[in-house]
Amino acid sequence: MPAEPTVLAEGDGRQPAEPSKPPHASEARPAAKRSGWASLRPLVLRLHFYAGLLIAPFLLVAAVTGLLYAGSYQVEKYVYADELRVPVAADKSELPLSRQVAAAREAHPEGTVSAIRPAPEEGATTRVLLSGVPGVDPDRTLAVFVNPYTAEVRGALEQYGASGALPLRTWIDGLHRDLHLGEPGRLYSELAASWLWVIAGGGLVLWFGRRRSQRKRRNTTGRSRTLSLHGAVGVWTAVGLFFLSATGLTWSTYAGQSVADLREALGQTTPAVTASVEPGADGAGEHSEHGGASGSGASAGAGSGRDATDVGLDAVLKSARGQGLSDPVEIVPPADAVSAYVVKQVQRSWPEKQDSVAVDPANGEVTEVLRFDDYPVLAKLTRWGIDAHAGSLFGVANQIALAALALGLILLIVWGYRMWWQRGRGTSFGRPMARGAWRDVPAYLLVPLMVAVAVLGYFVPLLGIPLVAFLAVDVVLGEVAYRRGRRTYA
């Protein structure tokens, strides 16, 4: 969101006349340097302008796709209503879970059962998730939807992630995350998230740092009106934009790895129940999200050859219910002969249900219980942050808030570019801040600021690398302009 790109100092914002033979920037500046905010403002303004100008296109794409994703939850319920909903039986009695899984396997014998999600409420279908299905992306599963009252198979759709996203939401999610370009495409979203907080923070500093007389002006036409709208919306959305930036970085490629490393160093990683029931096992080997690789054991309890020693899905679900695991839950069958069932709650709305248990397939006894209340603080915050960013933590209210933030960001970007155009009086784009503003910043402010930027750039490389690249190009262009004997502002 480029903003007020041409104000040189606290005055009327006009550029000085260009001399015929301009001196070098260091020679043109007065010996006395300003201090405090007066010296920082030009630097912040220049950074805000260029960051907004260069990063705004990436932010615009992220905002538009985020707006689409915020509405995808409700659209998904409508588009896939036949698979998701069924008429409630008169007696409201559901068939045994094992029978529902058998019906799914009869209709879709390919692949292996990697998880089962029993119907979470009346009128909802049961999902039987199959992995290793030919034609299905390896990082997705085939969800077979079964009527829990009749065992009728209602259809099958690809599902992605723990949130249970179906094809429409998965496609929009991929567009928002990486533009369907794979790992290289994720750089766009990480770049946007890395710079969003910088641009928002710079805008806040500039807005509240304006002189009282400027804030009291009643001029509501032209660029002043655009600036007023840009600033007001920026102030109201700033906290939300900071939040989106921080939570978006947690699952990014490079900054996300830094966050993961920090959590591991602090002992704040997300725990998981021990899935092994082998005598003398040390508990190593965390069960994967959807049961991982297969083998005949992956279908245990569903006619896999372990039936003679397996208590079955219904007994496992009953044991989990006895530990207080209410719907919605996901049952992950044992991956091999020495693994346990893992039953975990998968509700991502407030209050979150994230408890999980391990159940011995031989006798149905619960071998381990993990409560969400026992998660480390950073693990909880990460879970809440990701779910709020995805729009599931507070349901429809969360989705409306995300849509409002996305729309606000779009308006900020449009108004920012409009101010740039209006500064040129509608015939050309206006000039940005002059170079060399950093020379007026006192050392006691500049040195700590440079250190902080270096540290942040190390842990958030898509903030640091573009910043270094910009500075390098800016210095080269400035030197070239000086040697050619003319002043430049771009």
Side-chain angles (χ1 to χ4, degrees):
M1 37 183 180
E4 200 180 0
T6 54
V7 178
L8 286 178
E10 299 289 354
D12 61 3
R14 305 302 300 168
Q15 295 283 1
E18 296 185 3
S20 58
K21 290 184 179 296
H24 196 280
S26 61
E27 300 173 1
R29 295 191 174 275
K33 292 190 177 183
R34 294 172 291 178
S35 60
W37 168 242
S39 63
L40 277 175
R41 187 179 190 279
L43 183 62
V44 175
L45 185 54
R46 182 168 171 80
L47 175 64
H48 185 69
F49 171 78
Y50 270 115
L53 176 67
L54 301 175
I55 306 300
F58 300 97
L59 287 173
L60 183 61
V61 173
V64 171
T65 55
L67 181 62
L68 292 175
Y69 189 82
S72 65
Y73 288 89
Q74 307 308 318
V75 176
E76 184 178 73
K77 294 177 182 179
Y78 175 79
V79 172
Y80 304 116
D82 290 342
E83 289 84 3
L84 296 173
R85 306 297 300 180
V86 294
V88 180
D91 58 0
K92 298 183 180 180
S93 60
E94 296 183 4
L95 296 173
L97 193 57
S98 56
R99 182 172 170 184
Q100 298 177 50
V101 174
R105 296 298 284 151
E106 183 178 353
H108 295 274
E110 66 277 15
T112 57
V113 177
S114 56
I116 304 98
R117 294 191 174 189
E121 59 185 9
E122 291 183 0
T125 53
T126 293
R127 297 192 193 190
V128 180
L129 305 180
L130 306 177
S131 61
V133 178
V136 175
D137 195 299
D139 65 349
R140 302 175 188 175
T141 56
L142 182 68
V144 182
F145 298 86
V146 182
N147 187 327
Y149 309 108
T150 65
E152 172 196 6
V153 174
R154 303 279 295 182
L157 298 167
E158 286 191 23
Q159 175 175 305
Y160 175 76
S163 65
L166 298 178
L168 174 64
R169 185 150 56 98
T170 299
W171 189 87
I172 297 176
D173 175 64
L175 185 66
H176 178 69
R177 184 179 63 251
D178 58 21
L179 302 177
H180 295 292
L181 298 175
E183 281 300 315
R186 294 185 66 182
L187 298 180
Y188 115 83
S189 57
E190 183 168 355
L191 180 68
S194 298
W195 279 90
L196 177 57
W197 69 273
V198 177
I199 299 173
L204 278 181
V205 170
L206 290 171
W207 182 255
F208 287 109
R210 300 175 74 202
R211 291 188 310 180
R212 184 179 300 274
S213 60
Q214 288 180 306
R215 292 200 298 265
K216 288 184 176 180
R217 286 178 181 175
R218 300 300 181 185
N219 186 354
T220 57
T221 61
R223 192 168 66 93
S224 295
R225 177 174 174 78
T226 306
L227 174 60
S228 179
L229 291 170
H230 181 89
V233 172
V235 168
W236 281 103
T237 60
V239 173
L241 297 180
F242 286 139
F243 171 81
L244 291 179
S245 175
T247 53
L249 288 174
T250 59
W251 63 57
S252 61
T253 302
Y254 299 107
Q257 186 59 50
S258 296
V259 173
D261 293 341
L262 177 62
R263 288 178 57 195
E264 184 175 1
L266 297 175
Q268 296 285 306
T269 57
T270 301
V273 294
T274 303
S276 176
V277 293
E278 182 180 14
D282 59 5
E286 179 180 327
H287 217 70
S288 64
E289 178 71 14
H290 289 298
S294 53
S296 60
S299 298
S304 69
R306 282 194 56 173
D307 294 345
T309 59
D310 196 297
V311 296
L313 292 169
D314 296 282
V316 169
L317 182 59
K318 183 177 180 180
S319 297
R321 300 289 194 216
Q323 293 295 325
L325 270 68
S326 55
D327 288 319
V329 299
E330 178 177 277
I331 305 172
V332 179
D336 49 47
V338 296
S339 296
Y341 283 94
V342 173
V343 185
K344 50 190 175 184
Q345 293 176 309
V346 292
Q347 178 169 300
R348 296 293 177 83
S349 58
W350 189 270
E352 291 215 358
K353 298 179 179 179
Q354 296 290 315
D355 294 351
S356 56
V357 299
V359 181
D360 191 331
N363 51 30
E365 293 183 358
V366 174
T367 59
E368 187 174 350
V369 179
L370 176 62
R371 303 294 183 188
F372 185 66
D373 289 342
D374 298 326
Y375 277 33
V377 174
L378 289 184
K380 288 182 180 179
L381 292 176
T382 300
R383 179 75 276 150
W384 291 329
I386 289 176
D387 293 337
H389 186 112
S392 60
L393 187 59
F394 299 110
V396 175
N398 196 163
Q399 292 148 27
I400 292 175
L402 287 177
L405 280 175
L407 182 59
L409 182 55
I410 293 171
L411 291 175
L412 287 171
I413 294 170
V414 172
W415 284 329
Y417 279 114
R418 179 169 173 76
M419 279 190 292
W420 187 25
W421 179 260
Q422 288 175 321
R423 179 61 184 87
R425 300 189 180 279
T427 57
S428 63
F429 288 110
R431 294 171 176 173
M433 278 289 299
R435 292 186 177 88
W438 63 271
R439 293 187 177 92
D440 286 336
V441 182
Y444 68 86
L445 289 177
L446 184 61
V447 173
L449 184 62
M450 293 177 65
V451 171
V453 169
V455 172
L456 283 171
Y458 177 80
F459 289 104
V460 186
L462 287 191
L463 170 64
I465 294 174
L467 181 58
V468 171
F470 160 69
L471 291 175
V473 171
D474 198 47
V475 168
V476 170
L477 291 178
E479 189 63 25
V480 169
Y482 167 71
R483 292 181 181 278
R484 288 180 177 177
R486 65 174 184 267
R487 204 170 191 170
T488 180
Y489 291 89

